[in-house]
Amino acid sequence: MSRTSTPQDAAPDPAPDAAPKADSPLVHGLKQRHLSMIALGGVIGAGLFVGSGAGIAAAGPSIVLAYAISGALVMLVMRMLGEMSAANPASGSFSVHAERAIGPWAGFTAGWGFWFLLCVAVGLEGIGAAKIMVGWFPDSPEWAWVALFMLVFCGANLTAVKNFGEFEFWFAALKVGAITLFLGIGVLAILGILPGSDVSAPGTDNLTGVGGFMPNGTDGLIIGLLASVFAYGGLETVTIAAAESENPVKSVAKAVRTAMWRIALFYVGSMLVVVTLLPWDDKEVVAKGPYVATLDHLGIPGAGQIMNVIVLIALLSAMNANIYGASRMSYSLIHRGMGPKALGKVSGGVPRLAVLASSVFGFVCVLLSYWRPDDVFPWLLNMIGAMILVVWIFIAASQLILRRRTEREEPEKLVIKMWAYPFLTWVALAAMAYVFYLMTEQPDTRKQLLATGALTLALAVIGIVRQKVAEKRATV
């Protein structure tokens, strides 16, 4: 049953040892079907449909191994996040958990870092979607399409949360349907029984020929691994959305459980289909994207335009989800006294000023891509390059602390439990540290690591200063 309450201003800074409130005046308007599709569709984006081509070009057939390894890491992270979110559902998700476990400065750093990441991503997705539309309508200006998309999804997020849920449900359903169809076509082609195709069963020729399974050695695998790690970003939104579902505890538990194996199937399975059917060094894999290149190879008519539609849907879905996630994260931070109170007002069960602020920042990022394409915009992109890894580290550290506390104080809340705790949590932390190390080995990712590190350090310093000031005020 939906629940509403009256809007309230952001709460003052909590005492250092106080647990932040998990409830809020947001309407519980999301159904289980919404959450399940948000979990599935959140990571199925243009990065998979198009960007994975660069990973294949670098890693060759071993891209399958790269996606399997990074997928295993993401499963561990989501299991940890699911454990904490089922025990204490909150619209601030991991930011709230970090505050409860480590302190207000950690919640501030993780929360505003993630908000910044989502807002810049909204701008990037708007630009990508506009480029597709300009390809279809060459005389139309790119900025007009970006403005239209921003208005549509800002408007959708300003209304009832169920509207966001419906948008995302159908967007995600189309993406999931497209990948499922691709996997089905691919399996038939691999077996040599695809109707109407002259392509014979490839066997293992493309997997072991042209340089072998790892044609570029471990260096190629590492590049593919880095690309695949960041392709999985987006699953976190489901735990943010769970706080506005009809049954937060049950919903987040089911969404996390069902999403993990399906996403592994979609990512690892689709990469296996591509590198089995096509030589990894086929130039079309990068030029057209692996999915279009595979469908063209199989003689599927109109493959390019079909995938352009799917990529457009993926980009619009990501815009919608990221505006939602950014607005709820900023609302949660403001509600806990970590942002400007004026933006914390809720009307109709929706934090509308937070939605507007997040949308405006996203649009500013778009404008910067036109005004300062050579300096400011690349700087923004580098700052968000490794932010998802920073968030994952906060999640793992928080789970280590909160699991012990919950077992001691409220064991009945452990609806989901992290596997082999604490061993696998430490394994995940070690894997994240190793990914950071790998980033230092590549020039492009090294720049991202430094820029993200600078942003994280700045937020941490601000958070620590704010926490100290709050502690002094509390003492006085």
Side-chain angles (χ1 to χ4, degrees), residues 351-374:
R352 289 178 174 151
L353 291 178
V355 170
L356 287 171
S358 300
S359 300
V360 167
F361 189 84
F363 197 69
V364 167
C365 294
V366 174
L367 295 178
L368 287 172
S369 74
Y370 295 110
W371 294 338
R372 305 298 294 268
D374 298 324

Side-chain angles (χ1 to χ4, degrees), residues 414-439:
L414 290 172
V415 179
I416 299 179
K417 290 186 177 181
M418 176 60 182
W419 305 300
Y421 169 84
F423 174 71
L424 284 183
T425 302
W426 283 111
V427 168
L429 277 168
M432 294 174 210
Y434 185 61
V435 172
F436 274 132
Y437 166 74
L438 294 179
M439 291 185 73

Side-chain angles (χ1 to χ4, degrees), residues 61 64 190 202-207 270-279:
V64 177
I190 290 170
T204 60
D205 290 349
N206 293 322
L207 292 173
S270 59
M271 288 299 101
L272 181 58
V273 165
V274 172
V275 296
T276 302
L277 289 172
L278 287 177

